[in-house]
């Protein structure tokens, strides 16, 4: 592991915590209630929480705002990479962080969680004008804007000091009571949690192109594969990496195919 990845993990956790300290100790804890959040075109990330708190969190992912980050989250969830990953850093009044698929699994040392990521490349920032209200989901990163990978956080309350500096990937549309009930960490340890709650199972729902929601084989798709073996492409499908400009981004998956493509699902984006 490179020093850069260690720095990335440390700042992805400790850096967020430093902002939390500003919020918590400057003018008191931010307590603005979660704003009304519409369920957009999705997809939706569904997190089944285990540990001292149990329940279901549903996050509306904003592929229209951060398409590459959403693609990463969807790919990792579909691969099962987020299953049994801890909420390793939970700062009361600020945020809960998870998604370290390298060092953050149940049974690992929580003190090491937050330093790792997936074996996929870091992502370029996709900052937007969406504010960090309560229940907003952002990508953790290091000091470099282009260092987000797999870790994400959910805000307990408004955090305007994050606006425009972290990529917003979605918002909680169901289960905010589960988020608020996550076991809190030690504020003297930047929110490090002892025996943390965890994401028992993470799935994706409402993907465009599944269940008849959208045609699977129109022209104009940029296809990509994140963390999956690529077999021979089915005849008539666009090639991996092929790009044809057309309608706004829409994400989905090719269904399992035949032959060497059987058992693999490939993420595509209408570009």
């Amino acid at each position: 592991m490179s020093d850069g990845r260690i720095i990335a993990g440390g700042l992805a956790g400790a850096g967020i915590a430093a902002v939390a300290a500003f919020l918590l100790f400057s003018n008191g804890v931010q307590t603005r209630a979660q704003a009304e959040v519409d369920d957009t075109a999705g997809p939706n990330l569904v997190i089944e929480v285990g540990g001292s708190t149990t329940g279901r969190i549903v996050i509306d992912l904003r592929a229209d705002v951060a398409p590459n980050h959403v693609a990463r989250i969807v790919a990792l969830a579909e691969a099962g990479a987020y299953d049994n990953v801890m909420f390793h850093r939970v700062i009361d009044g600020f945020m809960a962080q998870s998604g370290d698929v390298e060092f953050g699994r149940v049974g690992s040392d929580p003190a090491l969680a937050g330093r790792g990521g997936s074996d996929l490349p870091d992502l370029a920032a996709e900052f937007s004008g969406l504010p960090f209200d309560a229940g907003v989901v952002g990508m953790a990163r290091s000091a470099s804007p282009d260092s987000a990978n797999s870790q994400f956080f959910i805000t307990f309350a408004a955090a305007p000091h994050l606006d425009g500096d972290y990529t917003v990937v979605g918002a909680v549309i169901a289960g905010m009571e589960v988020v608020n009930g996550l076991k809190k960490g030690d504020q003297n340890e930047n929110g490090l949690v002892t025996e943390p709650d965890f994401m028992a199972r993470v799935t994706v729902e409402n993907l465009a192109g599944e269940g008849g929601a959208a045609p699977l084989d129109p022209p104009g798709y940029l296809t990509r594969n994140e963390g999956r073996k690529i077999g021979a492409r089915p005849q008539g499908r666009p090639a991996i990496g092929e790009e044809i400009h057309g309608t706004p981004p829409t994400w989905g998956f090719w269904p399992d195919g035949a032959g060497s493509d059987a058992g693999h699902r490939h993420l595509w984006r209408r570009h």
Side-chain angles (χ1 to χ4, degrees):
M1 174 177 293
S2 70
D3 290 341
R5 175 63 66 194
I6 294 172
I7 292 171
L11 288 173
I16 285 178
V19 179
F22 180 85
L23 287 174
L24 290 169
F25 300 114
S26 60
N27 295 311
V29 177
Q30 298 285 332
T31 57
R32 190 170 74 189
Q34 183 184 16
E36 284 293 323
V37 178
D38 293 329
D39 187 3
T40 68
N44 291 343
L45 191 73
V46 181
I47 302 172
E48 302 290 344
V49 176
S52 63
T53 297
T54 59
R56 188 173 188 257
I57 302 168
V58 182
I59 297 167
D60 177 50
L61 295 174
R62 295 297 301 270
D64 58 324
V65 173
N68 294 324
H69 288 74
V70 168
R72 174 62 56 81
I73 291 173
V74 168
L76 292 173
E78 286 281 303
Y82 284 133
D83 294 355
N84 295 312
V85 171
M86 300 179 287
F87 285 96
H88 64 275
R89 191 175 303 279
V90 183
I91 300 176
D92 193 15
F94 182 49
M95 62 89 220
Q97 185 175 342
S98 186
D100 185 346
V101 300
E102 186 175 6
F103 296 121
R105 298 200 174 278
V106 173
S108 301
D109 183 354
L112 297 179
R115 301 185 179 192
S118 74
D119 58 1
L120 300 170
D122 290 345
L123 296 162
E126 293 178 302
F127 298 156
S128 67
L130 294 180
F132 276 93
D133 293 327
V136 168
V137 183
M139 293 295 285
R141 63 170 179 83
S142 73
S144 168
D146 302 328
S147 58
N149 188 287
S150 66
Q151 295 187 50
F152 59 87
F153 59 93
I154 307 172
T155 53
F156 292 125
H161 291 84
L162 301 184
D163 292 354
D165 286 328
Y166 288 82
T167 296
V168 173
V169 293
V172 175
I173 57 173
M176 194 62 196
E177 71 282 1
V178 180
V179 176
N180 290 330
L182 291 170
K183 186 177 181 181
K184 307 303 188 293
D186 184 346
Q187 295 203 16
N188 293 324
E189 296 292 335
N190 287 328
L192 178 66
V193 187
T194 302
E195 298 183 359
D197 295 328
F198 58 94
M199 301 188 292
R201 185 167 182 258
V202 181
T203 56
V204 183
E205 295 179 350
N206 298 336
L207 279 166
E210 289 196 329
L216 281 170
D217 200 15
Y221 286 93
L222 169 66
T223 65
R224 62 173 61 209
N225 183 75
E226 302 216 49
R228 291 176 177 75
K229 180 179 176 181
I230 301 174
R233 82 178 164 94
Q235 186 175 6
R237 306 286 188 190
I240 298 296
E242 180 179 349
E243 181 175 348
I244 305 173
H245 291 276
T247 54
T250 301
W251 292 99
F253 284 88
W254 299 355
D256 293 347
S260 61
D261 201 64
H264 305 296
R265 307 180 73 196
H266 306 292
L267 188 65
W268 48 253
R269 176 164 68 100
R270 182 183 294 155
H271 191 73

